[in-house]
Amino acid sequence: AKDAGRNTVRFFTGDLNFLLSKRLEIEGRLRRAIDNEEFFLRYQPQVELATGRIIGMEALIRWNDPQRGEIFPKDFIFVAEELGIIVQLGEWVFRTACGQLKAWEDEGLPSITVSINISPRQFMSRRLVPTLLSIIRETGADPRRVELEITETMIMRNLEQSVQTLEHLRSVGMQVAVDDFGVGYSSLGQLKRLPATSMKIDRSFIANVPEDASSGSITEAIIAMAKRLKLRVIAEGVETRAQLEFLRANHCEAFQGYLFSRPVTSLEATAMLKAQAAA
Ligand code: C2E
Ligand code: CA
Ligand code: CA
Ligand code: CA
C-alpha cells in the first residue's frame, strides 16, 4: 500500500510537471506571437433575414503558428486569459478590427457594423473604456459601427459594474451585443437594466431546432423577450435551411452561420461587401 501511495505521488508529480512545461511552452510562444504578428482576424458575415443582405461582420481571432498552422481560439484564448496576455491581445483585436472597418468605410462599401468579442478579463479591466476610446480616435473608425460582444455570464457576474461600463460605452455611440444568450439564467428584471442593443441566441439552441421542441420554445422565448426589451436579435450557428426557416417564422431579425458563410479572411470579406455593393 505504501508503494502504491508513493507511485501515485510520483505519477501526479510527473503529470503536473508535464502540464506545467506545456503551459510554459504555450506561454512563451504566445508572448512571441504578438511581437511576430502571428495573429490574424477572420470575419463572419451577419445577415438580415428579411433582405438577405450582409449587415455586419464578426471578427474572430486566429493564430497562425509557424509550425502548427492555423490555431483556433479554443486552444489558446483560455491560456491567454489566465496569463493576462488577453488584455494586450484584445487591444490588438480591437485595433485591427477598427482599422478594417475604417478601410471599408473609406472604400465606400455599404455601411455595416463590425462585432468584436471582449474577454472577461478585458471587460473587468479599468483600462477598458479609455483604451477603446483612444483606439477609436487613432483609427478614425465610426464608433456607431462598432459592436462589442459581451457574454451574458460575464455581465451577470457583476451586474452593477457591468451596467456602468456598458453605459459608458453606449454614451460614446458603441453598440453592445449580449453574446451566447440563453446559457446564463438572467431574469427579465436584470435584463431590463442592461444598456445593450442586441442579443445573440447561443448556437447550442439553434443546433437543435426545429427537431427538438424545447430548444424551439427557448429560441421563440428569447426572440419574444428581445422584442419586449426593444433589442435586435441575431441567431448564431445557423447551418441548415430548416433552421433558417424556423427563425424566419419566428421573426428573428438576423443570423450568422455556415449556411451563409464560414468565417473568411479580410480579403474575402472585402470581396463579399464589394459584390453586395455592385448588386
Ligand atoms: P463565439 O463568440 O460564440 O463565436 C462563434 C463561434 O462559432 C466561432 O468560433 C465561429 O467560427 C463559430 N461558428 C460560426 N458559425 C457556425 C456554424 O454554423 N456552425 C458551427 N458549428 N460553428 C459556427 P471560433 O472562431 O472558433 O471562436 C470560438 C470562440 O472563441 C468565440 O465564440 C469567442 O468566444 C472566442 N473568440 C473568438 N475570437 C475572439 C477574440 O478576438 N477575442 C476573444 N476574447 N474571444 C474570441
Ligand atoms: Ca461572439
Ligand atoms: Ca456567441
Ligand atoms: Ca459561443
Side-chain angles (χ1 to χ4, degrees), residues 69-215:
E70 184 166 334
I71 305 176
F72 289 84
K74 71 167 171 37
D75 294 320
F76 65 88
I77 286 285
F78 74 100
V79 187
E81 178 82 25
E82 237 176 76
L83 296 168
I85 297 176
I86 196 72
V87 176
Q88 201 188 340
L89 196 56
E91 283 182 29
W92 178 86
V93 169
F94 193 78
R95 181 174 292 108
T96 307
C98 286
Q100 182 63 70
L101 175 64
K102 177 71 166 109
W104 284 331
E105 285 173 356
D106 288 348
E107 282 199 67
L109 291 168
S111 54
I112 57 154
T113 54
V114 168
S115 302
I116 303 166
N117 292 286
I118 301 293
S119 83
R121 194 130 166 190
Q122 233 186 324
F123 188 57
M124 299 303 281
S125 156
R126 279 179 204 291
R127 280 171 44 207
L128 179 76
V129 178
T131 304
L132 300 191
L133 286 180
S134 77
I135 296 175
I136 292 271
R137 267 195 303 274
E138 194 186 301
T139 57
D142 180 351
R144 293 165 303 178
R145 304 249 153 244
V146 174
E147 180 177 71
L148 303 176
E149 295 199 357
I150 298 160
T151 67
E152 182 190 4
T153 348
M154 253 156 74
I155 292 172
M156 295 308 162
R157 210 172 287 160
N158 185 342
L159 187 60
E160 296 306 318
Q161 197 193 323
S162 299
V163 168
Q164 264 190 29
T165 306
L166 296 183
E167 266 166 2
H168 204 150
L169 295 167
R170 295 280 298 117
S171 73
V172 298
M174 284 189 243
Q175 317 260 351
V176 173
V178 183
D179 203 357
D180 298 346
F181 190 81
V183 182
Y185 296 90
S186 324
S187 68
L188 192 61
Q190 289 174 315
L191 291 169
K192 264 196 186 129
R193 299 194 42 208
L194 285 188
T197 44
S198 69
M199 263 186 195
K200 296 191 80 173
I201 310 174
D202 193 60
R203 188 172 80 220
S204 57
F205 302 112
I206 305 303
N208 299 315
V209 298
E211 304 86 35
D212 176 52
S214 82
S215 295

